[in-house]
Structures are given as C-alpha cells and as structure tokens.
Amino acid sequence: MNKRLASINFAIARICHYMSKNKKGKVVPLKPVQLSAEKYIKTQARLLPIAECIINEDWESAGICNIVVARRHKNGNLTVGIFLVDMYCLGPKDVMYEFNLDPEEYEEWKAKLADGVACDYVLAHNIIYGAIAYAEDYGFKPHKNFDIAQYILEEDSEDIELIEIKFGLDGMPCYVPGPFDSDHKIQTVINTLNRTAGPGNYTFLGEDDDLDDFDDDDWDDDDDDDEDDDFDETQASIIELLVDGYQKISATYDERLRTDDARKAPKQPFIGLKYRLSDDPKETAYMKFDSAGEEKEYFRLLNLASVDHEYELVITGVRKAIAKYTGSAPWYMLWHSALRADGQHDESYRIAELMYNMFPDYLPAKVGYANMLIDTGEPEGVLAVFNGQPDLGYVYPERKVFNFTEAANYYACMCRYFTAVDNIDSADMYMEAIINNNLTDQFGVPVAIQELCKAKMEKLGVFTNNTTTDDD
C-alpha cells in the first residue's frame, strides 16, 4: 500500500543518511567561531530563507507524507528537515535533519525520496503541526528528532495561515504499522489507543488484527532472543555494506600508499593475546550489580527496551532505578548509551564524565569518556584514560576474559583515537581485531569504520574536509 511504500522510501533515505553522515555521535570541536549542528539549527536556522518544500504527490490519499523543508545558507549550502508524517494516527513518526549540505548532496537526498513534488511552505507547516495536534489527542508525541528539526520550520503561531486538513481515517485514528515496527512497538500503540480512544473507536490495519491488549507495565519475555525483525535485517545490511566499503578502500590504500612490510603489520597484531572473549555473563564483570534480584530484572527489561529503540522509556527508567537502588555502574552505562543513541549528545557527554569520575576503573566508563574526548576534539587525552596501555590485557592485567561488547567498544574507541591522531596503521590493527572477532554488529563500531574510511579516502585524495562556521 502507499502508506507502507512511503515508510520504506523514508527508511531508505535514513539508511543513506546513516552511511554517508552518521555524525550524530560526533560534534564539531567547540571553538568560539563554530557551533554544533544542533545548536546552529536551534539558534540560526529560522533566520535562513526557505529554499523549497517537497511532499509526496499522493499525500492526500496515502495517509502518510514525506515532507522536506530546506533552508539556504549564504554559501549556497542547505540545512534540511525531513519529516515522515502519519496523518492517520501517530503524527511525525520519523524525523531527520541534515546540516549544511552542499547542493550536490542535497540533490542526492531529493532523489532518495521518490514521487516528490514542490509544495507551498504553509501546506507543509499545516500538515506537520496539524498531525502533531491530532496525535497528541491520542497520547502520541512526535519523533525525538523533532526537538531539533522544529527549528527548521517556522514558529507555529497565528502568523501562519490556517488550512483545514483531514486527519485520521473515516473520522477515527487508524494505525497502520510501519515496515520496521517491532511487535513491542505495535502492542504499545494498540494499548495507548485502547486507553485514549477506547476499544472500537480506532482502526488497526496490520497483518494481525487480533493482537492481545497489554498494560504498559507488562513486558513480553517471549521475544528476548528474537533479532530477526526487519529493522535488525536492515541494520545488518548497513553494517555489511560498511565493512565491504572499508575492505575495498583499504585494498586501494594498501596498493597505493603502503609498502609490503606496512601491509603485513595490521595482519599480525598483538591485540587480544593476553585474554579471550566470551558472551557468557558468568565469565565477565560487565554487568555486576551491587544488589541482586529485582534490580537485575529491571535492568534486563530496560535493556530490552533499548534494543527496541524506546530510548525515552530507558532514560526515564534509569533515573528511577538510580534513585531506588544503589546506582551501580551498569545503570550509568545504559543511561549514557541511550542518550547517545537518542541524539542527546550534550547530556550523554555529561553522563560520560560523571560515570568516569564515579567509576574510573569501569571499562565502559573509560570508553565513554574517551569517546567524548574524541568527539569534542581532544583526542590527545585518550591514552591517559587507559593508563597509557595499548590493549585490554595491559589495562586490566588481572582479567583473562572480556565480554564481546566490552571488547568491541574498546577496539572501536582505540580505532577512532588513532584515526583522529593520523596513525592509520595503528587504527587498522584495532579494526582488524573487530573484523576478525566478528564484532562489527556492536553499537560503537560503525562510527569507527566510517571515520577510518574517510581518513583513508582523504589520503588517497578522494575528497577533502570543508570547515563550517556560523557565518555560512
């Protein structure tokens, strides 16, 4: 159906956004003349003229809109908001923003959103804010990225002409699950509609129309090990493409820029010689708590919510857990990772620093703080975080086993560090450790792959960096 196709088109654009940019975990170094993308958008975007607005041609019949609002900088580049708006029920269910795209990159973005036609800004504004108001009546908030992307839109005030637009289907909210909605997501929406609209006062158009109702406090444990849904398949495809791209770029880099001896060095690393990796929680100290039982179960449930991308639930739950329990180190790790995945980078940095100060010997605390230093343009401080040692076996000589996730995040961090200080040979050694141990699906790895690929491409002369300031 059109609604499903529009969601897939938007998802394709998001994949391209992830592969080409993935800069939400890395901010511009803080300098007096520079602003982060988020801060620039919040403070300056509405001062830029609107270049154009685009919408899918069948928006009135499809029930879902792909809307693009682009603003033009003085240098000709564009800052863009992309809104996937569910007009039947959920409002802006997915939102992206791109900062300071050059015109060629912008045209590539437009090509990813098929069947787009130019529209008046007032129409786009009325659809987005009308859908928000409709969705809020039934308990749904816009996608988290709207907190930033709303500043690419005009302020929602009486200055904007009001247009009458129909929302819902046949006078009622209608929920059509997206192609990447998990069972947990679907059941949560159904439960919310039962509370707000009431049974019989909404329509559900899914593959199964007889989903059992459940309370928000109930958790379904049957799917704990199920990672075969559409989103995970898409994520796996992205990672496969990234690794394939890395290997192709590396082959060219080796051929053109490395001697025979230099090519062999990353293949004979010292990394991992003093320990082994395991996914058995009994063998590692990765998730130890100060108390047992109830706390561990609550952590497990919130961790499942994080896997399901319910970051707001995770962040709220972690705060409650830290107040209720003893504030064990894993809670801060989960809090930091949820904030980072949710794009709340300033807050994630605050928690990273807090976690490192509270638990300086905890490996995720070291990795989180080191990544913060890299993100904020201070990579020279990274080695001191790890006591000047080059591998886990030297940082923690008493430990002989590390969890796969611990190792992957550490390797990725060290790869990022050596990439940042222009030591590509050492960066490759840590990347080889990631690939050889099949750790490419771990959270922190894609950023490391992309940064290393970009560094190699720059040395190959494929492209050069452009500095962006708040005068652009």
Side-chain angles (χ1 to χ4, degrees):
M1 64 170 46
N2 290 338
K3 187 178 180 74
R4 190 174 183 85
L5 180 60
S7 294
I8 292 173
N9 285 339
F10 194 93
I12 291 171
R14 178 173 281 285
I15 292 168
C16 295
H17 160 81
Y18 184 92
M19 292 179 60
S20 64
K21 295 291 182 184
N22 198 22
K23 295 302 182 186
K24 302 298 183 281
K26 182 176 181 181
V27 298
V28 178
L30 300 177
K31 298 178 181 178
V33 295
Q34 293 181 327
L35 296 173
S36 68
E38 288 77 13
K39 192 165 186 179
Y40 185 99
I41 291 172
K42 280 185 172 183
T43 60
Q44 304 294 320
R46 284 177 176 162
L47 301 177
L48 303 176
I50 293 176
E52 69 174 338
C53 300
I54 301 171
I55 193 170
N56 51 303
E57 191 169 9
D58 61 348
W59 68 270
E60 291 183 273
S61 59
I64 198 162
C65 301
N66 283 326
I67 296 176
V68 175
V69 177
R71 291 183 180 265
R72 194 177 304 279
H73 294 251
K74 292 179 181 178
N75 63 1
N77 289 355
L78 298 109
T79 285
V80 187
I82 307 105
F83 307 85
L84 180 67
V85 183
D86 180 355
M87 299 179 64
Y88 286 168
C89 182
L90 301 179
K93 60 182 290 185
D94 205 350
V95 177
M96 292 183 286
Y97 53 88
E98 287 291 342
F99 173 66
N100 203 37
L101 294 177
D102 66 42
E104 184 176 346
E105 289 175 316
Y106 175 63
E107 290 301 321
E108 291 176 0
W109 262 110
K110 288 170 60 175
K112 300 294 185 295
L113 299 172
D115 302 323
V117 295
C119 74
D120 185 75
Y121 171 78
V122 173
L123 174 62
H125 185 103
N126 274 265
I127 291 173
I128 293 170
Y129 278 100
I132 289 174
Y134 185 82
E136 285 180 344
D137 286 343
Y138 296 99
F140 303 107
K141 296 180 180 180
H143 186 274
K144 294 294 280 185
N145 285 347
F146 189 76
D147 287 348
I148 302 296
Q150 65 178 309
Y151 294 97
I152 299 173
L153 305 172
E154 293 293 311
E155 184 177 359
D156 188 35
S157 69
E158 294 181 356
D159 294 336
I160 304 296
E161 178 189 353
L162 200 60
I163 300 176
E164 185 176 348
I165 297 173
K166 290 183 179 180
F167 297 96
L169 182 65
D170 298 327
M172 297 191 299
C174 173
Y175 174 45
V176 183
F180 305 113
D181 285 358
S182 66
D183 289 343
H184 180 101
K185 167 77 171 182
I186 293 170
Q187 290 176 335
T188 300
V189 172
I190 293 296
N191 186 63
T192 300
L193 287 169
N194 280 332
R195 289 199 323 268
T196 56
N201 295 319
Y202 66 88
T203 305
F204 172 63
L205 299 178
E207 294 182 1
D208 293 311
D209 290 343
D210 57 350
L211 284 175
D212 293 331
D213 299 341
F214 80 112
D215 294 328
D216 285 337
D217 294 332
D218 292 339
W219 298 79
D220 182 2
D221 296 337
D222 294 338
D223 297 326
D224 288 359
D225 299 320
D226 182 10
E227 296 183 356
D228 296 326
D229 60 20
D230 288 341
F231 184 89
D232 292 324
E233 291 177 6
T234 301
Q235 191 80 347
S237 298
I238 292 171
I239 293 168
E240 184 178 349
L241 287 169
L242 286 174
V243 174
D244 182 62
Y246 161 76
Q247 291 173 333
K248 289 178 178 177
I249 292 168
S250 294
T252 303
Y253 183 87
D254 283 353
E255 180 182 351
R256 295 185 183 179
L257 300 180
R258 276 186 173 143
T259 64
D260 289 340
D261 289 340
R263 291 172 198 159
K264 296 175 183 177
K267 308 295 183 183
Q268 300 174 337
F270 60 87
I271 300 169
L273 296 181
K274 291 181 172 290
Y275 55 89
R276 61 184 176 85
L277 305 183
S278 171
D279 60 356
D280 185 350
K282 296 179 181 179
E283 290 193 294
T284 69
Y286 184 47
M287 293 294 188
K288 279 191 175 180
F289 293 90
D290 294 337
S291 61
E294 180 183 284
E295 181 179 8
K296 290 183 179 179
E297 177 63 10
Y298 189 41
F299 184 92
R300 185 183 70 83
L301 293 175
L302 283 181
N303 196 46
L304 285 174
S306 181
V307 171
D308 222 9
H309 317 290
E310 300 285 348
Y311 301 122
E312 183 177 358
L313 173 64
V314 175
I315 293 164
T316 301
V318 167
R319 288 173 177 156
K320 292 179 180 178
I322 290 175
K324 181 177 181 180
Y325 302 112
T326 57
S328 303
W331 287 115
Y332 289 86
M333 176 202 65
L334 183 59
W335 192 3
H336 171 257
S337 62
L339 287 165
R340 189 172 183 183
D342 198 40
Q344 300 185 44
H345 304 299
D346 290 342
E347 183 67 4
S348 76
Y349 295 152
R350 185 182 73 82
I351 299 305
E353 189 167 7
L354 176 64
M355 179 169 57
Y356 182 61
N357 289 332
M358 293 178 64
F359 310 100
D361 294 327
Y362 185 49
L363 179 55
K366 289 180 179 290
V367 170
Y369 187 72
N371 275 318
M372 183 196 75
L373 293 175
I374 296 168
D375 288 348
T376 56
E378 303 177 39
E380 61 276 1
V382 167
L383 288 184
V385 174
F386 299 106
N387 308 323
Q389 300 297 333
D391 192 22
L392 291 173
Y394 299 94
V395 180
Y396 300 96
E398 74 285 357
R399 289 185 61 179
K400 303 304 177 186
V401 183
F402 289 88
N403 180 274
F404 284 119
T405 300
E406 286 183 296
N409 288 333
Y410 168 77
Y411 296 156
C413 178
M414 294 302 287
C415 180
R416 294 188 67 209
Y417 160 70
F418 282 111
T419 300
V421 298
D422 199 28
N423 186 339
I424 303 302
D425 290 346
S426 293
D428 264 343
M429 293 173 64
Y430 290 93
M431 185 55 65
E432 286 295 320
I434 289 172
I435 294 173
N436 292 339
N437 287 288
N438 297 315
L439 302 175
T440 54
D441 61 342
Q442 297 292 329
F443 174 72
V445 170
V447 173
I449 296 175
Q450 291 178 72
E451 290 177 355
L452 182 54
C453 286
K454 182 177 180 181
K456 289 184 175 182
M457 292 171 71
E458 287 175 346
K459 289 186 177 295
L460 288 166
V462 176
F463 60 84
T464 58
N465 282 321
N466 292 316
T467 301
T468 299
T469 73
D470 56 0
D471 295 327
D472 289 338

